[in-house]
Amino acid sequence: MKFFWIIPFFLLQDTEAFLMKNAKVKLCLQASLMDGSLLLEDCNPESDFQDWSWQGDSLMNHGTQSCLSVAEADRVQTSLCGSTGYMSWDCSNSLLSPLGSSQGYLVANKKGVALNNVRGLKAQWQDVANRSVCEEKAAEAEKDRYFTAALASTHMYDPTTGNVTLALGIDQVELEELLWFFRREDPSTWNYSILALSFVAMILGLLLLSINVVRNRKRKIHMYREAEQTVQEAELEAKQALMSVQEYSLAEPQKQEPVPQDQRSGEVVVQWKDGTVTSLYAEKSEDATI
């Protein structure tokens, strides 16, 4: 339960980004990553280079991670946050002016933005909801104040026990441990873990793919062999049937021997058991008839 109350405080620390739209030209302030110059472009909530947030009295661009600063007498650009120069801005009635300087206000012009003493619509800056950027600063300051107050009031005196305890039953050591845990911003361990899991998942996917390919190949080879075996069995059955027909034809009774060439038409012959063939009616010779 000790995590549930401290997590929202750290979530409140995250600054909310907003677009800076000029009230006159209806274009948004965009930072350049190359030379730190500032442009006025069509408002695009998806562009990080048009996202700004208050960091105390400084305006930081989320795309370049640099702050709005005064470069020369009237020229404005983005520079590394914390470097020398005017980076703190006073915001009042949608007007932005450098703190500790009387150089004027941030004004939109044809080339982009510059400092000028004009206080008209060209010097007024709003978000996409037409709220003043000063309201964004006030909301951010309120969140910072609330978070600081919440951390500062973690102790209270309990007269019934006479001990110094936390409002939600967490002692100072556990609170410091939680603060140290949630303030860590190094994601290297998490990134390496995700990279290792991705590599393991890729290896596992390749292994499953190779197993599937091998099984499909074995299945096709098995089906081919079954089809080949079926064809061979059919051919064997056909050969066996042909051999049976040939054996049957060989087992048929032999045909009668042809009539001897010297046998005459109408003559009756007899074949004896010893294989001799004689005429049943011997023809009498012509001499016997005379």
Side-chain angles (χ1 to χ4, degrees):
M1 296 295 295
K2 59 186 178 181
F3 289 95
F4 293 104
W5 70 273
I6 197 169
I7 290 176
F9 292 145
F10 286 94
L11 293 179
L12 288 175
Q13 276 190 310
D14 295 336
T15 56
E16 184 177 356
F18 56 89
L19 302 183
M20 291 181 58
K21 183 178 67 173
N22 187 266
K24 177 67 175 178
V25 299
K26 302 300 180 181
L27 298 177
C28 288
L29 186 64
Q30 177 174 314
S32 174
L33 186 62
M34 301 300 295
D35 53 1
S37 60
L38 296 171
L39 306 173
L40 290 174
E41 301 290 343
D42 294 333
C43 296
N44 181 15
E46 301 297 329
S47 175
D48 291 337
F49 297 100
Q50 292 186 6
D51 287 341
W52 299 85
S53 63
W54 285 102
Q55 303 289 337
D57 291 330
S58 301
L59 279 168
M60 187 186 73
N61 183 269
H62 285 204
T64 61
Q65 295 297 313
S66 56
C67 292
L68 185 66
S69 61
V70 179
E72 297 176 357
D74 59 349
R75 193 168 67 89
V76 183
Q77 65 178 20
T78 56
S79 304
L80 294 176
C81 298
S83 59
T84 58
Y86 293 103
M87 290 192 177
S88 299
W89 295 83
D90 181 30
C91 190
S92 177
N93 296 326
S94 302
L95 302 176
L96 291 172
S97 61
L99 279 176
S101 174
S102 59
Q103 292 175 297
Y105 304 98
L106 185 66
V107 178
N109 55 29
K110 296 180 180 180
K111 296 181 179 180
V113 291
L115 293 178
N116 200 303
N117 291 324
V118 178
R119 295 173 59 105
L121 291 178
K122 290 185 177 181
Q124 296 183 9
W125 298 92
Q126 304 169 343
D127 58 9
V128 291
N130 295 328
R131 296 185 306 174
S132 172
V133 294
C134 301
E135 297 182 14
E136 299 287 347
K137 182 178 181 181
E140 189 65 30
E142 181 67 19
K143 287 195 297 184
D144 292 341
R145 185 187 66 80
Y146 178 76
F147 178 76
T148 304
L151 290 181
S153 62
T154 54
H155 293 83
M156 72 175 185
Y157 180 74
D158 188 359
T160 60
T161 59
N163 297 326
V164 178
T165 60
L166 293 178
L168 296 179
I170 302 177
D171 57 17
Q172 181 66 22
V173 177
E174 292 178 340
L175 178 60
E176 292 178 356
E177 182 180 356
L178 290 175
L179 292 176
W180 174 83
F181 175 79
F182 285 103
R183 283 175 182 172
R184 290 184 302 175
E185 297 180 356
D186 186 13
S188 300
T189 304
W190 173 258
N191 293 337
Y192 291 147
S193 300
I194 295 298
L195 181 62
L197 289 176
S198 301
F199 182 75
V200 171
M202 182 184 67
I203 296 299
L204 182 59
L206 293 176
L207 180 61
L208 294 177
L209 178 62
S210 60
I211 292 175
N212 190 20
V213 170
V214 171
R215 287 185 176 179
N216 287 336
R217 185 175 299 175
K218 288 183 178 180
R219 180 173 57 84
K220 291 181 179 179
I221 292 175
H222 181 68
M223 293 175 60
Y224 175 76
R225 288 179 178 176
E226 286 185 349
E228 186 178 9
Q229 185 177 2
T230 303
V231 172
Q232 291 178 356
E233 290 178 355
E235 291 179 354
L236 182 59
E237 291 179 356
K239 290 180 179 180
Q240 290 178 353
L242 182 60
M243 291 176 63
S244 299
V245 172
Q246 291 177 352
E247 291 177 356
Y248 177 77
S249 61
L250 292 176
E252 289 183 351
Q254 297 181 351
K255 295 182 178 179
Q256 294 182 355
E257 295 182 0
V259 180
Q261 294 181 359
D262 57 351
Q263 184 179 352
R264 291 176 293 181
S265 178
E267 184 178 6
V268 179
V269 295
V270 177
Q271 184 177 3
W272 303 97
K273 291 183 178 181
D274 56 359
T276 59
V277 179
T278 59
S279 177
L280 182 60
Y281 301 103
E283 184 179 357
K284 295 181 179 181
S285 60
E286 295 179 355
D287 296 340
T289 56
I290 297 175

